[in-house]
């Protein structure tokens, strides 16, 4: 019997809160900014927030933090919703911080009336200069002691479009000598003349994230507001606003974000990769975005399994991408259909097989009988992998070589008799004889061979493009390397095979299907495919070849 999994620290807090009656039920939220595509790091936050709601009979809201109109687009909103649903989760309510702009404005007015906020005319540079250092107190703005009436009048004028961008800001009046520099009169509203994707041009002032975050949680009665560790210094302001406004006491908890080897997670860096043409777009299969993983052939089950395995911790660490690939192989090994494809073809001619004859051979679709079987055409001329033939056989070589025998998967045993070469000495064809009595499923020959290779009938093969994707970066932690992170891009992250040969049944491949090309890896159909030209992406290799190579070096 398997051991029961221990609770993570957030689950312990929730169970204690429910047991002690602090909350009757829990309500969490996932609050993405609609300014980019979600990546694998967000998947951890999604699985955590939605997973807690499911585990404890609670709910999870999806709230878009759309407080910066300059960077936000409806395209990102749509992609975020698609990614969450693809991962297998549904939100209780779809909200936007912009839904609360009127209420947040009223909260700001309330702080002004309590003498806890003031309008400042200093520029961003001047404010920063007076902020002080971690060991030196800041200095008060000359506008800090304006009267409540003057602040109300000025803030109203800010809302009524009387000033230019940057001309005035609203700051919380806390303590310019506070040990936490984020508490030294933080800006809570700024002027921004920009079209908002939902509210249009209704507003020209927008709340800062730190002001919108906690209050939005409170408006929704969020019980457990879960953030990553970099928000620990922000929690003090989160609590201060809730206390001073006397509103529902949502509470913030922090966990370690996901950092993964051979990957960058920064939206800014990912945007550089897209804009500078290092990748084809946000859904390039080399990108750590969920749309990139989806296009590469990853399954939501494998990503959820990965998020479950890495757990929830309070300390930053670097997770090996091999664990994610392991989770994927675990899933695909059970579900992917087994098919045959030849990526580096060389002709194999069966000299004693009848000219023009075609047999339909039966081959299993997978390790589980429930996956069924299919028929594959077999004929005199086949394509096999060039690497499956060695003219001078090495020790313990069990594939084709002059005089050697090998089984063709789901077909017959063949023996290599001779080869044909071109003027440069390259092998153009391998000539074999087959043993008719060795047909798979009815072999009564008593002949045993150690090697089995895959093949495709030349007369029936379908031509396809195959894209072999590898890790985008050579360095284990590219963000930590000296210089420009892009200097660590792996030049071999994509190899395109223009003329691979696949078995005819793969002509019916779907975008949802997952396939193991026997002995070559796991693959999926790409969205670039057409009826005339199928395109397949390698999802992951059969084994962790990269990890072995790193250990070797």
């Amino acid at each position: 019997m398997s051991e029961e999994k221990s609770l993570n620290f957030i689950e312990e807090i929730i169970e204690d809160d429910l047991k002690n009656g602090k909350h009757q039920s829990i309500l969490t939220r996932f609050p993405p900014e609609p300014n980019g595509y979600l990546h694998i790091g967000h998947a951890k936050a999604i699985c955590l927030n939605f997973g807690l709601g499911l585990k404890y009979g609670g709910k999870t809201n999806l709230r878009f933090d759309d407080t910066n109109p300059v960077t936000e687009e409806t395209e990102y909103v749509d992609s975020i919703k698609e990614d969450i649903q693809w991962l297998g989760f549904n939100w209780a309510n779809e909200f936007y911080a912009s839904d609360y702009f009127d209420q947040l404005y009223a909260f700001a007015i309330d702080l002004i009336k309590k003498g806890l906020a003031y309008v400042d005319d200093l520029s961003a540079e001047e404010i920063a200069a007076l902020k002080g250092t971690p060991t030196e107190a800041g200095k008060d703005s000359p506008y800090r002691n304006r009267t409540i009436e003057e602040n109300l009048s000025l803030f109203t004028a800010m809302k009524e479009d009387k000033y230019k961008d940057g001309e005035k800001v609203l700051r919380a009046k806390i303590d310019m000598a506070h040990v936490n520099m984020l508490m030294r009169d933080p800006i809570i509203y700024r002027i921004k003349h920009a079209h908002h994707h939902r509210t249009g041009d209704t507003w020209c002032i927008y709340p800062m994230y730190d002001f919108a975050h906690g209050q939005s949680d409170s408006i929704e009665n969020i019980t457990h507001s879960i953030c990553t560790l970099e928000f620990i210094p922000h929690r003090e302001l989160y609590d201060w606003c809730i206390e001073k406004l006397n509103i529902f006491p949502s509470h913030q908890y922090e966990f370690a974000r996901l950092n993964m080897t051979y990957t960058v997670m920064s939206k800014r860096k990912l945007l550089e990769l897209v804009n500078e043409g290092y990748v084809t777009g946000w859904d390039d299969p080399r990108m750590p975005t969920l749309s990139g993983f989806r296009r590469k052939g990853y399954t939501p089950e494998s990503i959820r399994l990965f998020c479950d395995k890495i757990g929830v911790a309070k300390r930053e660490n670097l997770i090996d991408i091999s664990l994610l690939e392991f989770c994927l192989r675990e899933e695909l090994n059970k579900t992917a259909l087994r098919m045959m494809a030849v990526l580096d073809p060389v002709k194999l001619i069966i000299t004693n097989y009848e000219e023009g004859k075609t047999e339909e051979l039966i081959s299993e679709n997978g390790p589980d009988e429930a996956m069924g079987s299919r028929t594959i055409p077999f004929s005199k001329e086949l394509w096999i992998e060039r690497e499956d033939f060695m003219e001078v056989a090495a020790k313990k070589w069990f594939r084709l070589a002059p005089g050697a025998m090998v089984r063709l998967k789901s077909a017959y045993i063949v023996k290599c008799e001779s080869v044909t070469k071109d003027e440069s000495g390259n092998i153009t064809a391998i000539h074999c004889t087959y043993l008719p009595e060795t047909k798979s499923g009815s072999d009564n020959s008593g002949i045993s061979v150690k090697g089995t290779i895959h093949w495709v009938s030349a007369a029936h093969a379908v031509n396809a493009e195959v894209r072999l994707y590898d890790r985008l970066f050579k360095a284990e932690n590219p963000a930590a390397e000296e210089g420009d992170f892009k200097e660590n891009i792996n030049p071999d992250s994509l190899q395109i095979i223009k003329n691979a040969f696949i078995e005819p049944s793969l002509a019916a491949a779907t975008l949802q299907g997952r396939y193991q090309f026997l002995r070559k890896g796991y693959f999926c159909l790409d969205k670039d495919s057409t009826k005339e030209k199928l395109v397949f992406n390698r999802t992951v290799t059969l084994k962790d070849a990269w990890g072995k190579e790193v250990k070797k070096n």
Side-chain angles (χ1 to χ4, degrees), residues 212-430:
H213 175 207
Q215 281 58 263
S216 298
D217 283 347
S218 182
I219 291 167
E220 294 173 21
N221 285 356
I222 298 298
T223 58
H224 299 80
S225 176
I226 301 163
C227 304
T228 45
L229 291 179
E230 65 266 31
F231 286 96
I232 288 177
H234 299 251
R235 192 199 317 147
E236 216 165 346
L237 178 57
Y238 183 103
D239 292 341
W240 183 89
C241 289
I242 284 175
E243 178 198 335
K244 299 305 179 187
L245 291 166
N246 194 28
I247 54 180
F248 180 84
S250 295
H251 191 81
Q252 177 180 302
Y253 303 90
E254 303 87 11
F255 72 101
R257 69 191 306 162
L258 171 60
N259 299 301
M260 196 163 67
T261 57
Y262 302 100
T263 309
V264 294
M265 301 284 194
S266 156
K267 278 186 188 175
R268 179 184 59 79
K269 289 177 179 173
L270 295 177
L271 190 59
E272 273 185 60
L273 293 173
V274 173
N275 289 344
E276 295 176 27
Y278 289 96
V279 293
T280 57
W282 285 99
D283 68 345
D284 186 301
R286 293 165 292 181
M287 288 281 274
T289 54
L290 292 181
S291 53
F293 278 115
R294 184 162 61 243
R295 186 174 176 186
K296 196 177 182 184
Y298 273 69
T299 63
E301 293 83 1
S302 65
I303 292 177
R304 292 201 304 266
L305 176 62
F306 170 69
C307 291
D308 184 57
K309 281 186 177 294
I310 60 176
V312 179
K314 290 183 179 181
R315 194 170 57 187
E316 295 281 7
N317 56 357
L318 189 64
I319 302 295
D320 195 327
I321 194 173
S322 295
L323 177 59
L324 174 59
E325 293 169 343
F326 168 80
C327 293
L328 179 62
R329 290 188 188 98
E330 285 280 287
E331 170 68 20
L332 295 181
N333 185 47
K334 294 181 286 188
T335 60
L337 295 176
R338 273 48 171 182
M339 298 283 172
M340 291 198 279
V342 177
L343 308 189
D344 183 17
V346 64
K347 185 71 69 74
L348 184 148
I349 301 170
I350 305 174
T351 55
N352 63 334
Y353 196 83
E354 186 181 332
E355 194 82 46
K357 179 182 176 183
T358 299
E359 277 185 87
E360 292 293 335
L361 303 179
I362 296 172
S363 189
E364 70 279 3
N365 288 335
D368 189 337
E369 281 186 18
M371 297 173 81
S373 61
R374 67 195 186 285
T375 58
I376 312 170
F378 182 85
S379 60
K380 184 181 183 74
E381 296 191 3
L382 312 173
W383 294 113
I384 66 166
E385 296 287 351
R386 191 171 292 275
E387 67 180 10
D388 283 337
F389 177 80
M390 187 177 283
E391 194 168 9
V392 180
K395 194 178 179 182
K396 293 189 177 179
W397 175 261
F398 300 125
R399 285 171 272 171
L400 271 180
M405 291 194 294
V406 72
R407 176 168 290 283
L408 299 174
K409 170 69 181 169
S410 301
Y412 299 94
I413 292 174
V414 294
K415 181 180 181 182
C416 176
E417 305 293 352
S418 64
V419 298
T420 303
K421 297 182 180 181
D422 63 16
E423 292 176 358
S424 304
N426 300 310
I427 294 171
T428 55
I430 300 163

Side-chain angles (χ1 to χ4, degrees), residues 440-461:
S440 292
S442 58
D443 186 344
N444 55 13
S445 67
I447 299 171
S448 176
V449 293
K450 290 186 175 179
T452 300
I453 64 173
H454 62 279
W455 53 274
V456 176
S457 168
H460 306 88

Side-chain angles (χ1 to χ4, degrees), residues 120 122-133 136-139 171 176 181 184-185 187:
D120 196 345
L122 295 180
S123 68
E125 294 74 22
E126 289 169 328
I127 290 172
L130 294 178
K131 203 78 177 276
T133 69
E136 184 183 330
K139 296 175 182 175
R171 298 176 69 179
M176 287 303 292
M181 290 186 68
R184 294 181 184 178
D185 291 9
I187 297 170

